Amino acid sequence: MENVAMLIVGAGPAGLATAACLSKFSIPYVIVEREDCSASLWREHAYDHLKLHLAKEFCELPHMSYPVDAPTSIPKNIFLKYLDDYIECFNILPKYLTNVESSTYDDDKKCWSIVAHDMATSIIVKCTTKFLVVASGENSAENIPMIIGLQSFPGDVIHSSSYKSGKSYSGKNVLVVGSGNSGMEIAYDLATHGANTSIIIRSPIHVMTKELIRLGMTLAHRLPLNLVDNLLAISAKFIFGDLSRQGITRPKMGPLTLKSATGKSAVIDVGTVGLIKKGIIEVQGGISKIMGNIVEFQCSKEISFDVIVFATGYKSTTNIWLENGESMLNGNELP
């Protein structure tokens, strides 16, 4: 891998899609991936019942549709089969276990100098490339916030990337930290498997159904975004009612505008709201500190837990290896 015309870093959906598009134009490339498989976040760090949050027509990769009999909401196993078929169709051959450690742009030579670690052979590989495609994703390293006393907690502490199913937590007191899609779905899964479940919801969130999001994304191609957002907000309030009594408030910015401006997605309800309304899942505020198995919340309430699941997202690691990339990524390491 001394000199390559184009280097793609990351064999997730974005990297695979880029490789397929280049193949269509017969443009040579090399694609590297630090893990031992493609789409490792989906294969190794996604809970069993996960489905794509958007309708299938919004989640297709270029030049290949889902099978006609695929459901509207694609489950994890069908999505992975689709990716495997995609790789085979476009003859994509990622170099797995290859971790890019540094990349520096040379203004004089107009090319990137790459240093990578071949983890299978423990050999350092160097190359130059005229074009570098950063497809390593924003979800790279687990993000667990600093909480006073967390190290004293005697029970299980896991990140959502390690969560598979609620079967083993039946009868246990479980706290889910984070109220994005992962946190809300994990809370639902825990509760339906018999865990005594609490979830922390601190920030305002939009709660939608999959049908509403599908409608909104369809209308957004034809109508102004603020008009679509107003329609979604009114519809959601009609479906779910006033959730403020359950500790759930809505952001001032509309769901699609919020996604466009900040990258924060609406929560697509899988039944969690119904369980919250019934009191089966309890909503808690922010954590003040942890004392052994006791979690003290900012309202001074104290509750004992056996397990804490952090559904607090990920951090990008791109800026660790991407030098001179300030023009590509913002302060949050997003494009």
Side-chain angles (χ1 to χ4, degrees):
M1 202 174 74
E2 293 181 359
N3 296 288
V4 297
M6 181 172 290
L7 180 67
I8 305 169
V9 181
L16 299 177
T18 304
C21 291
L22 292 170
S23 295
K24 294 288 285 187
F25 289 99
S26 300
I27 298 173
Y29 67 88
V30 172
I31 180 169
V32 297
E33 167 59 50
R34 71 179 183 182
E35 304 296 338
D36 61 359
C37 62
S38 63
S40 62
L41 200 63
W42 278 87
R43 295 183 197 277
E44 299 176 356
H45 302 291
Y47 39 96
D48 295 341
H49 71 280
L50 180 63
K51 294 182 180 180
L52 292 178
H53 293 136
L54 303 180
K56 62 182 178 182
E57 64 263 32
F58 300 111
C59 300
E60 292 180 345
L61 300 190
H63 308 300
M64 184 171 149
S65 298
Y66 287 102
V68 291
D69 59 347
T72 301
S73 296
I74 303 293
K76 172 183 171 181
N77 61 328
I78 292 180
F79 182 60
L80 290 175
K81 175 66 165 57
Y82 171 75
L83 292 182
D84 290 337
D85 292 344
Y86 194 82
I87 290 170
E88 183 178 355
C89 176
F90 294 100
N91 193 32
I92 301 170
L93 302 171
K95 293 182 180 294
Y96 294 120
L97 295 172
T98 303
N99 184 42
V100 174
E101 296 187 341
S102 71
S103 59
T104 308
Y105 189 71
D106 189 319
D107 280 311
D108 296 327
K109 296 179 180 179
K110 304 299 180 186
C111 68
W112 291 87
S113 296
I114 309 295
V115 177
H117 179 207
D118 184 332
M119 293 182 283
T121 61
S122 297
I123 294 174
I124 298 299
V125 181
K126 296 182 180 180
C127 76
T128 59
T129 182
K130 188 173 182 181
F131 300 104
L132 175 66
V133 179
V134 179
S136 49
E138 61 190 69
N139 298 331
S140 187
E142 299 173 359
N143 178 44
I144 294 182
M146 298 290 291
I147 298 175
I148 297 172
L150 178 59
Q151 70 278 3
S152 72
F153 185 75
D156 292 339
V157 176
I158 65 170
H159 187 265
S160 57
S161 59
S162 300
Y163 180 89
K164 294 299 180 184
S165 170
K167 291 179 182 178
S168 58
Y169 300 108
S170 178
K172 294 186 177 181
N173 298 332
V174 185
L175 175 63
V176 179
V177 182
S179 55
N181 277 296
S182 293
M184 295 289 266
E185 289 189 24
I186 287 172
Y188 176 82
D189 188 57
L190 285 163
T192 54
H193 280 98
N196 304 313
T197 309
S198 291
I199 183 169
I200 289 179
I201 302 179
R202 294 189 307 163
S203 304
I205 54 174
H206 283 291
V207 180
M208 298 278 148
T209 65
K210 289 186 177 182
E211 292 76 18
L212 278 180
I213 290 296
R214 186 182 192 184
L215 174 64
M217 292 187 69
T218 302
L219 292 177
H221 292 294
R222 301 172 177 84
L223 298 173
L225 211 55
N226 63 330
L227 183 61
V228 178
D229 272 341
N230 288 338
L231 175 62
L232 292 180
I234 292 169
S235 300
K237 190 170 184 179
F238 176 77
I239 293 169
F240 296 107
D242 181 7
L243 299 177
S244 59
R245 286 173 293 181
Q246 281 77 36
I248 302 173
T249 58
R250 293 187 175 91
K252 293 180 180 179
M253 197 178 292
L256 298 185
T257 304
L258 186 67
K259 174 65 176 177
S260 177
T262 68
K264 186 175 182 179
S265 299
V267 170
I268 299 176
D269 183 53
V270 295
T272 313
V273 170
L275 297 186
I276 289 174
K277 285 183 172 182
K278 293 177 182 177
I280 296 173
I281 296 175
E282 292 188 18
V283 173
Q284 310 294 347
I287 295 175
S288 175
K289 60 183 176 181
I290 297 174
M291 304 164 289
N293 65 343
I294 303 296
V295 175
E296 181 185 289
F297 295 95
Q298 290 173 353
C299 63
S300 298
K301 183 194 300 182
E302 296 182 355
I303 303 176
S304 172
F305 290 99
D306 304 303
V307 180
I308 300 176
V309 180
F310 282 96
T312 42
Y314 299 81
K315 296 179 287 186
S316 170
T317 58
T318 303
N319 277 341
I320 294 175
W321 58 266
L322 180 65
E323 299 178 36
N324 314 110
E326 295 83 2
S327 61
M328 279 188 247
L329 304 176
N330 63 22
N332 295 322
E333 300 191 23
L334 299 177

